[in-house]
Amino acid sequence: MLTSDFVPTVEKSLVELLTQRAQSRPHERAFTFVDFPHLESAGSHRTLTWHQLDIRVQAVAAQVAQSANRDDRVVLLLPQGLDYVAAFLGCLRAGVVAVPLFPPDAAGHADRVASVLDDCEPACALVAADETQENRTFQRTAESRKIPLIPVTNGSATLDSRGQMPGIVGDPAFGISDTSLDSLGYLQYTSGSTRAPAGVMISHRNVVANALQALSCLGTPLPQLTTVSWLPMFHDMGLMLAIVAPIVGGLPSVLMDPVAFLQKPERWLRLLGQYPGVVSAAPNFAYDYCMAKFDHEQIGDLRLDRVKMLINGSEPVMPGTVSRFQQTFGPAGLRPEAQRPSYGLAEATVFVTTGVGDELPVSVACLRDRLVEGRIEPVALGTDVHPDGTDTITTLMSCGVPVGQELRIIDPRTRSVLPDGDVGEIAVRGPNVGLGYWKRAEESAETFETLVHGTGSKPWLRTGDLGAIHEGRLLVSGRLKDLLIVNGRNHYPQDIEETVRAALGAFRNERIAVFSVPGEGGEEVVAVAERRRDKTPQGAERAELEGTVRSRVAMVHGLRLERLVLVRPATVPRTSSGKVARGECRTAFLCGHYDAPQESAS
């Protein structure tokens, strides 16, 4: 069991803390958006002080108050930028429920946006005033569902004698003074890696408590820090890093667009070196992406010695990625202890565990057979091959300890606490755990109100993730719903995906999904892998490649890979946060979407 001694004390809401910052240091830099209008752009910086941001938030709240009632849902259909920050905070200030949304024109996201709009039934939508193609797409999405539009403008606002927007502060209908900390603040829709997106209900207390938990890892009092983020603000980690934590901690925040990162990841790397005490975060794939796209001859031009913390989370953290990233960017001054493998989920607002102090990232090599049987049995590195040539080792990354919350590993069937070293479902309890799922009472009760034997009457959050406690640290092994059970044995899909990725060699691209489907003799294993755009194996070359992949999977995992499906880049479905959507990929396979002769091998 893991328990933190730190107890976050929440006395003010996020917008009350914003007002406090605006009053105590009105002219200090608060939020900066770095725009990259063309591929070779060095970046154009636009900044709001705390006072300027507070005024814009009041203006948005006044606009929202004219179109929505307290507790109505208001969706944010805005591009990344300062308007998104003001819109989110303006909704909280107005007493409505904010619904941060992802771009409806992003590949594969249109259906998700539609399902979210149907689920939350918004009173109105906040959209950008600019007449860009992207914004017109947002507007068409809302108009097609007869959702009133409110353009978010950055023009000047008319203030009263107190320097505030009239009709907001202290207004009994729309004000921050009477907003309960335990009332619903926003809906954080899950990315939907194993199911349709569900709206997690996050209270005003939840979000501030989680920020305090995260900030406590950085030292007390807080040193001079700056958050830098390219993560989309509709995503739980992006929202916390880019908006919430900076306001709670009084830190300057630097933002950029996710598309700008994907175009040239070195933009993010260079921003990391421009500010003191940088705190940033990204999912595992982004660190791999940086290494693949960055010109290593330019390492000497980078300055990463001032990076305080780089959180790796939101998807399984791969030990190889952590070590390779350090090897690649260590010469630029990146300290090994700056890398922080972490664990979290939207149902707990976002943040649950991370490393403590300045400890180095720790990986644990363990016997693969014992892991699939549900037990961590560590071994020394270098003893990873059985005499018969079969791999016997898998390596897991330590994700640290919980901060300001409790964590247990439980048997998902009996709901009893398991001893250290046993693999089970991760359960979490703390003030950051959300209120439940929007309009899903039965699922909320099952997920958020679990009683664990021997832990009292306070309920626990069942995360749906599998893990174990080893030497006082959390190891995350996979998703319970993704677990493959073949011939009575458990297999983690991400392990098999790594094996397939290595076996594909020069043919591999970014995304691979492994899942099981019903077959005549039981469950059969299928791998859908994106190939490189310039590599299309045919005939004997394709047969040899498939044989190599199947042999490797059989040798490492003792499994027969029934089907290997090679698909074009950007074909494997992803969630709004970039994770592989294995369930959606499995559905597409069963529906015959990958049956084109040029794409499938069997």
Side-chain angles (χ1 to χ4, degrees):
M1 63 182 65
L2 295 176
T3 301
S4 169
D5 293 331
F6 172 72
V7 179
T9 301
V10 180
E11 299 175 342
K12 295 183 178 182
S13 70
L14 191 62
V15 287
E16 287 175 318
L17 289 169
L18 169 61
T19 299
Q20 177 178 303
R21 306 292 178 214
Q23 293 172 348
S24 62
R25 34 181 158 160
H27 305 301
E28 289 186 15
R29 175 172 61 90
F31 286 78
T32 299
F33 181 70
V34 185
D35 187 27
F36 297 89
H38 56 82
L39 193 60
E40 301 306 319
S41 172
S44 173
H45 292 61
R46 287 178 289 160
T47 296
L48 291 176
T49 65
W50 290 110
H51 176 69
Q52 289 170 331
L53 175 61
D54 192 41
I55 294 304
R56 288 186 64 174
V57 168
Q58 291 183 52
V60 172
Q63 288 179 285
V64 169
Q66 296 173 7
S67 301
N69 297 314
R70 176 176 290 279
D71 298 328
D72 279 349
R73 277 73 58 210
V74 176
V75 297
L76 278 61
L77 287 171
L78 292 152
Q80 188 104 333
L82 299 176
D83 285 345
Y84 205 108
V85 177
F88 176 74
L89 296 169
C91 287
L92 300 190
R93 189 182 186 98
V96 300
V97 178
V99 184
L101 273 187
F102 30 83
D105 59 343
H109 291 175
D111 290 342
R112 290 191 180 94
V113 171
S115 67
V116 169
L117 293 178
D118 291 340
D119 186 60
C120 72
E121 300 176 293
C124 58
L126 295 177
V127 297
D130 302 336
E131 285 297 318
T132 64
Q133 180 60 44
E134 182 182 32
N135 293 340
R136 284 194 293 270
T137 301
F138 293 151
Q139 293 167 12
R140 286 195 300 270
T141 300
E143 288 172 340
S144 67
R145 312 186 98 72
K146 296 182 171 55
I147 300 172
L149 305 179
I150 301 178
V152 177
T153 62
N154 56 12
S156 60
T158 302
L159 309 181
D160 62 15
S161 59
R162 300 170 295 173
Q164 297 170 331
M165 287 292 298
I168 295 297
V169 178
D171 187 316
F174 288 94
I176 61 172
S177 59
D178 60 344
T179 298
S180 167
L181 287 171
D182 295 312
S183 63
L184 179 57
Y186 63 98
L187 297 179
Q188 180 68 65
Y189 275 86
T190 60
S191 56
S193 58
T194 58
R195 61 177 176 183
V200 181
M201 297 186 289
I202 302 296
S203 72
H204 295 273
R205 185 184 303 277
N206 291 153
V207 69
V208 175
N210 201 225
L212 290 171
Q213 290 164 337
L215 290 167
S216 70
C217 301
L218 297 168
T220 305
L222 283 176
Q224 185 180 12
L225 301 170
T226 301
T227 65
V228 174
S229 178
W230 61 265
L231 296 171
M233 285 184 280
F234 58 77
H235 186 256
D236 51 10
M237 192 158 67
L239 191 68
M240 177 60 65
L241 176 66
I243 301 179
V244 179
I247 292 175
V248 174
L251 310 176
S253 173
V254 179
L255 319 168
M256 61 180 285
D257 194 290
V259 174
F261 167 79
L262 293 173
Q263 288 174 338
K264 292 182 71 172
E266 71 173 86
R267 291 166 167 167
W268 176 57
L269 295 170
R270 295 194 182 282
L271 282 177
L272 295 179
Q274 291 182 18
Y275 303 92
V278 164
V279 177
S280 193
N284 192 84
F285 85 85
Y287 294 97
D288 282 326
Y289 189 70
C290 285
M291 290 183 283
K293 298 296 183 180
F294 188 75
D295 183 353
H296 290 206
E297 293 183 358
Q298 298 183 28
I299 290 291
D301 296 335
L302 283 180
R303 181 182 178 184
L304 300 180
D305 57 297
R306 295 196 292 177
V307 174
K308 172 71 174 178
M309 181 185 295
L310 286 180
I311 295 169
N312 187 332
S314 181
E315 64 182 11
V317 180
M318 308 307 294
T321 300
V322 175
S323 61
R324 289 193 303 272
F325 194 83
Q326 185 59 44
Q327 291 169 6
T328 301
F329 296 105
L334 180 67
R335 298 174 302 113
E337 60 270 26
Q339 290 200 74
R340 291 289 186 93
S342 304
Y343 169 73
L345 67 165
E347 286 83 351
T349 305
V350 59
F351 172 78
V352 176
T353 71
T354 194
V356 294
D358 285 332
E359 68 178 19
L360 297 174
V362 176
S363 59
V364 178
C366 52
L367 289 175
R368 189 186 305 276
D369 285 350
R370 296 290 283 143
L371 179 63
V372 299
E373 293 170 0
R375 182 71 186 169
I376 299 294
E377 188 168 320
V379 296
L381 290 173
T383 57
D384 58 343
V385 179
H386 192 272
D388 67 3
T390 303
D391 263 356
T392 62
I393 304 301
T394 191
T395 305
L396 301 176
M397 202 74 215
S398 167
C399 290
V401 299
V403 181
Q405 51 201 295
E406 302 172 84
L407 185 147
R408 301 288 186 272
I409 304 298
I410 66 172
D411 185 314
R413 296 182 301 274
T414 66
R415 302 184 183 182
S416 299
V417 177
L418 295 174
D420 289 4
D422 278 10
V423 177
E425 185 175 5
I426 301 169
V428 175
R429 184 166 68 180
N432 53 304
V433 172
L435 306 178
Y437 294 120
W438 176 256
K439 297 198 302 189
R440 299 189 184 196
E442 185 175 341
E443 191 175 351
S444 293
E446 181 181 343
T447 303
F448 289 84
E449 299 174 16
T450 295
L451 296 179
V452 174
H453 298 305
T455 64
S457 59
K458 292 183 179 180
W460 291 78
L461 166 69
R462 296 184 60 176
T463 66
D465 292 317
L466 292 170
I469 296 172
H470 173 69
E471 296 184 349
R473 300 292 185 268
L474 173 68
L475 303 178
V476 182
S477 56
R479 283 288 294 171
L480 184 60
K481 291 182 179 179
D482 282 340
L483 192 67
L484 306 182
I485 304 176
V486 182
N487 297 327
R489 287 172 57 85
N490 296 338
H491 298 274
Y492 295 99
Q494 67 269 23
D495 282 352
I496 304 172
E497 287 161 2
E498 282 299 301
T499 301
V500 172
R501 182 175 288 107
L504 285 172
F507 290 93
R508 70 176 181 265
N509 197 38
E510 292 295 326
R511 298 292 172 176
I512 299 172
V514 169
F515 48 86
S516 64
V517 297
E520 293 183 2
E523 289 294 301
E524 297 178 346
V525 179
V526 175
V528 177
E530 294 179 356
R531 56 169 172 78
R532 280 179 48 178
R533 196 174 302 277
D534 59 344
K535 297 280 188 179
T536 308
Q538 301 289 345
E541 185 181 38
R542 188 185 190 96
E544 181 182 359
L545 179 64
E546 183 184 352
T548 299
V549 173
R550 280 182 165 157
S551 296
R552 190 62 182 163
V553 169
M555 179 177 294
V556 175
H557 304 281
L559 277 175
R560 171 177 167 77
L561 182 62
E562 193 66 30
R563 293 282 300 276
L564 171 65
V565 185
L566 295 178
V567 297
R568 291 181 295 270
T571 300
V572 172
R574 311 179 190 190
T575 69
S576 61
S577 60
K579 302 176 189 174
V580 170
R582 296 189 185 96
E584 189 176 335
C585 191
R586 180 179 184 274
T587 299
F589 174 83
L590 292 173
C591 292
H593 293 174
Y594 302 134
D595 284 347
Q598 69 273 19
E599 298 297 339
S600 180
S602 62

